């Protein structure tokens, strides 16, 4: 299962003021001293502008100020350096020292003024640029800091501190590719700190380049096995790359120490499912739901119950959701759908009908009621409920799309298309609405019309994996242009490589053109990816029959009927094998 990456990293803003946070708020922020603090260097004065310090008196005041700064007497340092400045106001080095001392003393306004005056004298002073940028960052003026950091790196690309600061600034501005390049520049000129390597690895993950992040994390994890940030990030990226068995112990250990980390608990649940350990995921999902009865947690728990065929628990969950969230339309909608999936069609109808009583003037209530009636195969009553919904439908594109889809589900495809066309006129999302029109036409067995409509989607979005899958499956399922289906579906799978339903479409297309071995491979992979969808099971059974693997075919047909017992044609196929 593909999951996307998360950000939410803390920031090291200034030398000696940097703070590095943990992933997505899953652990407390930790103050960290930078690995290479920039020390005060009296040798800075031994430069070409030494002669411009106004003689021995200015030099004496300058060195005295630097010594006081090293001792931590920032007020004294500022006073001594100011005396030197009065003697010689034309030294960028002196102004840099003054700005730094003022910053340490808490006089931000003076620190910026001294740095700016120094840059007027020498715009190419990289350390002054870096210093002023640091002050801007401390004030939260990140846009103002960026030009100074860029100039500092341009003037001295060999200083790793400059490049690292620029990389972090680019991160704050979500300019990820530039941040990556800045980190890599810094690492070319200095041995990287583990924290900075970890930042780069996380950045690569945010960019979707987990394969580049993993070698960094493997090495960091080996060198720092007790570092929680490194270990958890290593587990996260390993999970993204499909190494779920490696990630699970990391997530389990983390949750023992931080049991309230909901994000990692969700990760662990998904990893259990991906490794065929769905039953172990259930207590974790129940804990999430019981902690707050959030609908997203209810959906996750419902998915597990249905996957494990625990329909009684799914039913009880649906009833509990509406009990905890009375008069909540979203909760009612979820529970009606779940009751239908749990084979409790009449309870779904009864619950949906209640929403029409509590909210009789909300078209969505009647749509929900129609959907429940349709699941219960009460088609005439469903159409009547949709008529009530249509009578109070607001004049909006979104509403036309919603009820158009509902009419498609109820088999009223002509009405569905007329409403979807009205949605197009009202300015609905063109590609998505054409997809809905294609679906309505396909349900009406209008092959040519569905093909025309889905081409309208692909004309606007040629890399739409869902539309490519629709067209490829249309060709395969109708056994028309089946030779064109395979390249379409291969392209769809390139765009969405873990989608089990695209694998099913490709396997079915191979079956149609007689490539039975290829069909078997794709459909067996589809079962693993989708979790025993009854249509995929039937397709695989058909392939096994064609390969004369009769016992295997019977097993898949029986399993599909257990999931969907009302499939009459499939029952006939099974009877013929006996």
């Amino acid at each position: 299962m593909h999951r996307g990456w998360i950000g939410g990293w803390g920031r090291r803003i200034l030398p000696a003021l940097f703070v590095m946070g943990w992933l997505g708020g899953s652990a407390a922020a930790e103050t960290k001293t930078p690995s290479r603090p920039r020390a005060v260097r009296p040798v800075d004065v031994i430069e070409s502008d030494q002669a411009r310090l106004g003689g021995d008196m200015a030099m004496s005041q300058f060195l005295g100020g630097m010594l006081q700064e090293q001792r931590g007497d920032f007020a004294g340092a500022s006073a001594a350096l100011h005396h030197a400045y009065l003697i010689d106001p034309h030294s960028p080095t002196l102004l840099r020292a003054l700005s730094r001392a003022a910053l340490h003393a808490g006089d931000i306004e003076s620190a910026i003024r001294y740095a700016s005056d120094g840059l007027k004298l020498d715009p190419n002073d990289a350390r002054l640029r870096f210093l002023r940028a640091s002050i801007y960052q401390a004030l939260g003026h990140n846009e103002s800091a960026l030009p100074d950091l860029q100039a500092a790196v341009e003037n001295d690309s060999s200083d790793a501190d400059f490049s690292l600061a620029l990389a972090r600034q680019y991160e704050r501005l979500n300019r990820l590719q530039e941040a990556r390049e800045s980190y890599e520049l810094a690492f070319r000129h200095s041995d990287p700190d583990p924290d900075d390597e970890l930042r780069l690895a996380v950045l690569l993950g945010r960019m979707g380049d987990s394969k580049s992040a993993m070698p960094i994390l493997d090495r960091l994890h080996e060198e720092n096995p007790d570092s929680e940030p490194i270990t958890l990030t290593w587990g996260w990226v390993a999970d993204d790359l499909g190494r779920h068995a490696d990630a699970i112990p990391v997530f389990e250990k983390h949750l023992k120490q931080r049991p309230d980390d909901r994000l990692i608990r969700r990760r662990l649940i998904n990893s259990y499912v991906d490794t065929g350990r769905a039953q172990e995921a259930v207590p974790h999902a129940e804990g999430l739901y019981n902690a707050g009865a959030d609908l997203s947690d209810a959906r996750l728990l419902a998915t597990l119950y249905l996957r494990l065929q625990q329909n009684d628990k799914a039913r009880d969950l649906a009833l509990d959701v509406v009990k905890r969230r009375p008069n909540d339309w979203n909760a009612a909608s979820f529970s009606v759908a779940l009751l239908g999936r749990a084979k409790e069609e009449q309870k779904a109808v009864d619950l949906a009908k209640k929403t029409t009583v509590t909210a009789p003037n909300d078209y969505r209530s009647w749509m929900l009621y129609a959907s429940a009636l349709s699941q219960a195969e009460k088609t005439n009553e469903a159409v009547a409920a949709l008529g009530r919904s249509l009578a109070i439908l607001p004049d909006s594109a979104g509403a036309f799309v919603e009820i158009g889809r509902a009419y498609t589900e109820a088999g009223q495809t002509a009405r569905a298309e007329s409403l979807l066309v009205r949605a197009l006129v009202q300015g609905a999302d063109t590609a998505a609405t054409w997809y809905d029109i294609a679906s309505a036409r396909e349900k009406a067995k209008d092959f040519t019309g569905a093909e025309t409509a889905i081409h309208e989607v692909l004309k606007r979005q040629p890399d739409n994996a869902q539309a490519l899958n629709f067209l490829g499956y249309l060709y395969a399922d109708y056994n028309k242009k089946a030779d064109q289906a395979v390249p379409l579906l291969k392209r769809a799978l390139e765009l969405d490589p873990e989608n089990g339903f695209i694998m099913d479409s490709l396997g079915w297309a191979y079956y149609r053109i007689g490539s039975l071995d290829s069909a078997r491979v794709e459909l067996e992979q589809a079962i693993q990816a989708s979790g025993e969808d009854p249509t995929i099971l039937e397709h695989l059974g058909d392939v096994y029959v064609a390969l004369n693997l009769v016992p295997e075919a019977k097993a898949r047909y029986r399993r599909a009927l257990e999931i969907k017992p009302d499939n009459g044609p499939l029952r006939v196929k099974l009877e013929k094998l006996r």
Side-chain angles (χ1 to χ4, degrees), residues 216-357:
I216 300 172
L217 290 166
D218 279 334
R219 179 172 48 77
L220 287 175
H221 182 52
E222 184 178 350
E223 294 172 354
N224 305 273
D226 297 325
S227 169
E228 183 185 7
I230 290 174
T231 300
L232 188 56
T233 309
W234 176 81
W236 186 286
V237 177
D239 191 48
D240 274 341
L241 291 174
R243 292 167 52 180
H244 310 301
D246 291 336
I248 285 173
V250 173
F251 295 157
E252 289 174 333
K253 181 179 178 181
H254 174 80
L255 287 168
K256 286 180 181 178
Q257 299 169 343
R258 303 179 188 277
D260 295 331
D261 191 335
R262 295 172 60 83
L263 188 61
I264 296 299
R265 196 169 297 281
R266 279 180 164 269
R267 273 267 170 172
L268 177 60
I269 290 167
N270 287 322
S271 296
Y272 277 141
V273 172
D274 289 338
T275 52
R277 298 164 61 181
Q279 188 62 58
E280 293 175 70
V282 170
H284 293 277
E286 288 174 339
L288 284 176
Y289 171 70
N290 291 327
D294 186 85
L295 268 183
S296 63
D297 296 327
R299 290 188 182 95
L300 180 60
L301 181 56
T303 300
L304 288 172
Y305 285 153
L306 292 172
R307 189 184 189 96
L308 295 166
Q309 300 177 54
Q310 297 176 345
N311 287 346
D312 54 340
K313 291 187 176 181
R315 176 202 62 215
D316 293 344
L317 174 62
L319 298 176
D320 186 68
V321 166
V322 290
K323 180 180 178 181
R324 294 195 193 203
R325 303 166 71 100
N327 303 320
D328 182 328
W329 188 87
N330 289 320
S333 177
F334 163 80
S335 294
V336 167
L338 181 54
L339 286 169
R341 294 284 304 278
K343 311 302 180 186
E344 297 280 356
E345 290 88 354
Q346 189 55 50
K347 282 186 170 59
V349 169
D350 294 342
L351 177 58
K353 189 173 183 179
K354 286 181 182 178
T355 68
T356 67
V357 175

Side-chain angles (χ1 to χ4, degrees), residues 4-21:
W5 187 259
I6 66 164
W9 283 84
R11 302 162 180 174
R12 276 198 295 183
I13 298 177
L14 288 172
L17 297 177
F18 289 155
V19 175
M20 183 171 183

Side-chain angles (χ1 to χ4, degrees), residues 311-564:
N311 287 346
D312 54 340
K313 291 187 176 181
R315 176 202 62 215
D316 293 344
L317 174 62
L319 298 176
D320 186 68
V321 166
V322 290
K323 180 180 178 181
R324 294 195 193 203
R325 303 166 71 100
N327 303 320
D328 182 328
W329 188 87
N330 289 320
S333 177
F334 163 80
S335 294
V336 167
L338 181 54
L339 286 169
R341 294 284 304 278
K343 311 302 180 186
E344 297 280 356
E345 290 88 354
Q346 189 55 50
K347 282 186 170 59
V349 169
D350 294 342
L351 177 58
K353 189 173 183 179
K354 286 181 182 178
T355 68
T356 67
V357 175
T358 56
N361 297 318
D362 187 336
Y363 76 97
R364 298 175 306 165
S365 297
W366 292 99
M367 283 179 58
L368 183 62
Y369 185 36
S371 177
L373 289 165
S374 182
Q375 282 191 56
E377 298 185 355
K378 298 180 179 181
T379 305
N380 292 335
E381 293 175 66
V383 172
L386 283 174
R388 293 288 300 271
S389 181
L390 187 59
I392 55 178
L393 185 70
D395 189 21
S396 73
F400 289 140
V401 168
E402 283 189 66
I403 198 166
R405 290 170 180 166
Y407 269 118
T408 297
E409 183 182 342
Q412 300 288 307
T413 55
R415 289 186 182 181
E417 183 167 343
S418 68
L419 286 167
L420 292 167
V421 170
R422 287 177 67 184
L424 284 176
V425 174
Q426 291 275 16
D429 183 308
T430 308
T433 308
W434 273 113
Y435 190 96
D436 289 326
I437 292 171
S439 299
R441 290 176 178 176
E442 192 282 324
K443 187 152 189 173
K445 305 301 180 185
D446 179 2
F447 173 87
T448 302
E451 180 186 29
T452 300
I454 205 65
H455 272 301
E456 290 293 332
V457 178
L458 290 168
K459 189 186 301 181
R460 293 163 175 82
Q461 298 177 353
D463 289 333
N464 185 321
Q466 190 176 7
L468 289 165
N469 180 53
F470 184 105
L471 183 58
Y473 188 74
L474 183 76
Y475 288 161
D477 203 41
Y478 281 76
N479 206 13
K480 296 181 179 181
K481 304 182 183 180
D483 58 320
Q484 297 181 32
V486 170
L488 287 167
L489 293 165
K490 282 185 175 180
R491 175 60 183 149
L493 203 55
E494 286 175 5
L495 294 166
D496 191 358
E498 297 182 25
N499 190 316
F501 296 102
I502 300 177
M503 295 174 196
D504 169 57
S505 299
L506 180 56
W508 195 233
Y510 278 132
Y511 171 78
R512 288 300 200 190
I513 63 175
S515 298
L516 298 180
D517 290 335
S518 296
R520 177 180 180 178
V521 169
E522 291 297 334
L523 290 167
E524 287 177 344
Q525 289 179 347
I527 292 291
Q528 293 298 318
S530 66
E532 292 196 322
D533 177 85
T535 300
I536 303 176
L537 285 164
E538 183 177 355
H539 286 166
L540 182 57
D542 291 347
V543 171
Y544 284 152
V545 170
L547 290 168
N548 201 31
L549 300 172
V550 175
E552 290 84 350
K554 287 181 177 179
R556 299 310 181 279
Y557 286 163
R558 289 192 187 104
R559 181 68 185 122
L561 284 169
E562 287 174 6
I563 300 171
K564 193 175 180 181

